[in-house]
Amino acid sequence: MRDLDYYIPAGALFLALLSKAPALLRQRRNPTVTAMAGLIFTACAGYAFAAPPTIRALNRGTGVANISAPLVYVILCTFNASCIALLVYWREGTGRDARSRARRWLAASAVVTCLIPLLFALGDAPVERLRDFDTYYANAPFIREMITVYLGWHILVGLVLPFPCWRWSREVGGWVKAGLRTLVAGFVLNAVFGLIKGTAVAARWAGGDLDNLSSHVAPPVASVGALLTTLGFLLPQGERLAAHWQTWRLYRQLGPLHRDLAPLAPAQGSPRLPLLSLGTRLSNRECDVYDGLFTLAPYCDPYVLSAAQAEAGQAGEDPETASALAAATMIADAIEASRDRTDRPDRPDRPGRSDRPDRTGRTDLFDESAQAAGLEALGPVIAAGAEGMAKVAAHYGALSRRTTRASCRATRQRARVRTYRPAAATSTTPEPLLRKTHP
């Protein structure tokens, strides 16, 4: 790896740590959150302090040659301890037994992290080595033992943890399974890193020279292993991100319908705050759309719904898409009808009975029967929930973009003439309603 390559994953992990900061502040007593923050922090610090420029600056800043070596070893041991603790909390929860088991692993890690600086202080490493410290001092008293303790702990963790992760991954699915399988790969690579380093050190003990394994092969393996391990613990968060994306998608799809129904809905009892959570904003938007549809019900024409659904079926749409498209067409027609009624100076203040004929020659009878018929036509839309409403709203937005107000009026006029034409004259096949709105 090049010198600056270490800082790229360090920067990415630092951003991930910043994203976890609010949760850490809110749930600082939660051991799972603490372990996750510790894992990301030690992974970030490991990359940053293992970079040759950082090693050089730290050694010269402290005046102690090779002081970075025990520091990096301690950081990596702490990273392994955070992995173990987080895995225990994932698997067993945060009860007393789980905490006790995690403490035992943390105690073992603490012994290792205390031995490393102690052995370094007892040994002598006067020559600064930026890349081959392990092999250069493989035979130095106390430094040799420090390297052995560090590599032994690293290999042990890398060999033990993949097995419970793999067994657990066979019991779960989704994002958790993907995270566990990624952890298996990360821990295996960590073990491979330790074995490569150990092979190079053992070769020095035997009088050989395999320093290239330690200096050029092991660092990329360790880098990928630490990155996969961190990613494995972060992947289960994808389920929450997917849910957040789904909420945003529904909120955005309801936008066009919400905008056009807003003038019809009754005035809100309290002002809507701009800084509400996305879930609350979606709930408010759903309520506004439902209120608007109830107000729009007297204008909804069941004939437009059935004719549009029949034409969509003839066009090859599946039943679900045909129903959503037909509902969107009926709602668009009803909105245009309500606008026309609002524009007339002799309109009543609210839906009721009016004896004035409209352009089709039909008398507007907005009474309880019209309300009931409209609610019956809207029933499947209202009962479909947020998902079904979002599909209807998406088709409505597409219709609004493709049509002009004049074409909507023409469609509505044709539909209403046929709706109230005497039975003897309605035997012919209705003229297609979606010819201009759904090519």
Side-chain angles (χ1 to χ4, degrees), residues 277-339:
S277 66
L278 184 58
T280 304
R281 290 160 62 189
L282 175 61
S283 299
N284 290 338
R285 180 162 285 190
E286 288 182 62
C287 292
D288 292 345
V289 169
Y290 286 137
D291 291 342
L293 288 179
F294 278 117
T295 306
L296 192 68
Y299 303 95
C300 292
D301 192 337
Y303 177 84
V304 175
L305 178 69
S306 59
Q309 188 166 6
E311 185 176 347
Q314 293 174 0
E317 302 286 357
D318 60 271
E320 184 177 356
T321 302
S323 298
L325 180 58
T329 305
M330 179 185 68
I331 292 173
D333 168 80
I335 289 176
E336 288 301 321
S338 68
R339 288 171 178 170

Side-chain angles (χ1 to χ4, degrees), residues 37-109:
L39 182 144
I40 299 175
F41 174 77
T42 52
C44 175
Y47 281 109
F49 284 97
T54 307
I55 294 175
R56 186 183 301 109
L58 190 60
N59 291 342
R60 296 175 183 178
T62 59
V64 179
N66 299 305
I67 188 64
S68 291
L71 177 60
V72 172
Y73 291 169
V74 168
I75 290 174
L76 293 181
C77 290
T78 307
F79 172 77
N80 288 332
S82 300
C83 291
I84 296 171
L86 187 56
L87 194 60
V88 170
Y89 294 141
W90 265 17
R91 179 66 172 171
E92 303 177 16
T94 57
R96 179 178 300 177
D97 293 340
R99 294 193 183 203
S100 177
R101 185 177 178 184
R103 288 194 191 101
R104 288 196 295 269
W105 278 101
L106 292 175
S109 177

Side-chain angles (χ1 to χ4, degrees), residues 40-375:
I40 299 175
F41 174 77
T42 52
C44 175
Y47 281 109
F49 284 97
T54 307
I55 294 175
R56 186 183 301 109
L58 190 60
N59 291 342
R60 296 175 183 178
T62 59
V64 179
N66 299 305
I67 188 64
S68 291
L71 177 60
V72 172
Y73 291 169
V74 168
I75 290 174
L76 293 181
C77 290
T78 307
F79 172 77
N80 288 332
S82 300
C83 291
I84 296 171
L86 187 56
L87 194 60
V88 170
Y89 294 141
W90 265 17
R91 179 66 172 171
E92 303 177 16
T94 57
R96 179 178 300 177
D97 293 340
R99 294 193 183 203
S100 177
R101 185 177 178 184
R103 288 194 191 101
R104 288 196 295 269
W105 278 101
L106 292 175
S109 177
V111 172
V112 174
T113 55
C114 290
L115 281 175
I116 289 174
L118 176 61
L119 292 171
F120 179 80
L122 294 175
D124 185 21
V127 181
E128 183 183 62
R129 310 301 299 183
L130 299 180
R131 295 183 180 273
D132 60 348
F133 176 86
D134 303 298
T135 52
Y136 187 85
Y137 289 104
N139 292 308
F142 295 108
I143 303 297
R144 173 183 57 223
E145 285 74 15
M146 180 189 74
I147 296 171
T148 303
V149 168
Y150 155 67
L151 289 178
W153 173 253
H154 204 75
I155 293 171
L156 175 65
V157 173
L159 292 178
V160 170
L161 292 186
F163 294 100
C165 290
W166 182 262
R167 288 196 299 268
W168 189 14
S169 69
R170 300 173 66 179
E171 303 172 4
V172 295
W175 290 95
V176 176
K177 182 174 184 176
L180 289 171
R181 294 290 172 88
T182 306
L183 282 176
V184 171
F187 288 135
V188 168
L189 285 179
N190 288 339
V192 171
F193 160 77
L195 292 173
I196 292 174
K197 282 272 190 180
T199 301
V201 171
R204 278 283 188 157
W205 293 344
D209 184 358
L210 294 177
D211 292 4
N212 284 334
L213 290 178
S214 177
S215 302
H216 298 97
V217 178
V221 174
S223 178
V224 176
L227 198 60
L228 287 178
T229 303
T230 307
L231 181 62
F233 282 111
L234 292 176
L235 270 179
Q237 304 296 322
E239 187 172 355
R240 186 177 63 180
L241 294 177
H244 188 80
W245 169 253
Q246 176 74 357
T247 302
W248 169 251
R249 184 182 64 83
L250 295 178
Y251 181 82
R252 182 179 55 83
Q253 286 182 337
L254 287 174
L257 188 58
H258 176 264
R259 181 187 63 248
D260 290 346
L261 288 175
L264 303 176
Q268 301 296 327
S270 59
R272 297 287 168 82
L273 299 177
L275 299 179
L276 296 175
S277 66
L278 184 58
T280 304
R281 290 160 62 189
L282 175 61
S283 299
N284 290 338
R285 180 162 285 190
E286 288 182 62
C287 292
D288 292 345
V289 169
Y290 286 137
D291 291 342
L293 288 179
F294 278 117
T295 306
L296 192 68
Y299 303 95
C300 292
D301 192 337
Y303 177 84
V304 175
L305 178 69
S306 59
Q309 188 166 6
E311 185 176 347
Q314 293 174 0
E317 302 286 357
D318 60 271
E320 184 177 356
T321 302
S323 298
L325 180 58
T329 305
M330 179 185 68
I331 292 173
D333 168 80
I335 289 176
E336 288 301 321
S338 68
R339 288 171 178 170
D340 287 348
R341 186 176 180 84
T342 303
D343 292 341
R344 281 167 34 194
D346 55 346
R347 66 175 178 87
D349 292 336
R350 64 188 64 184
R353 178 181 293 273
S354 174
D355 295 331
R356 287 185 177 275
D358 63 7
R359 292 188 305 272
T360 65
R362 185 178 71 84
T363 301
D364 291 330
L365 297 177
F366 292 106
D367 52 14
E368 294 181 358
S369 61
Q371 177 80 14
L375 288 177

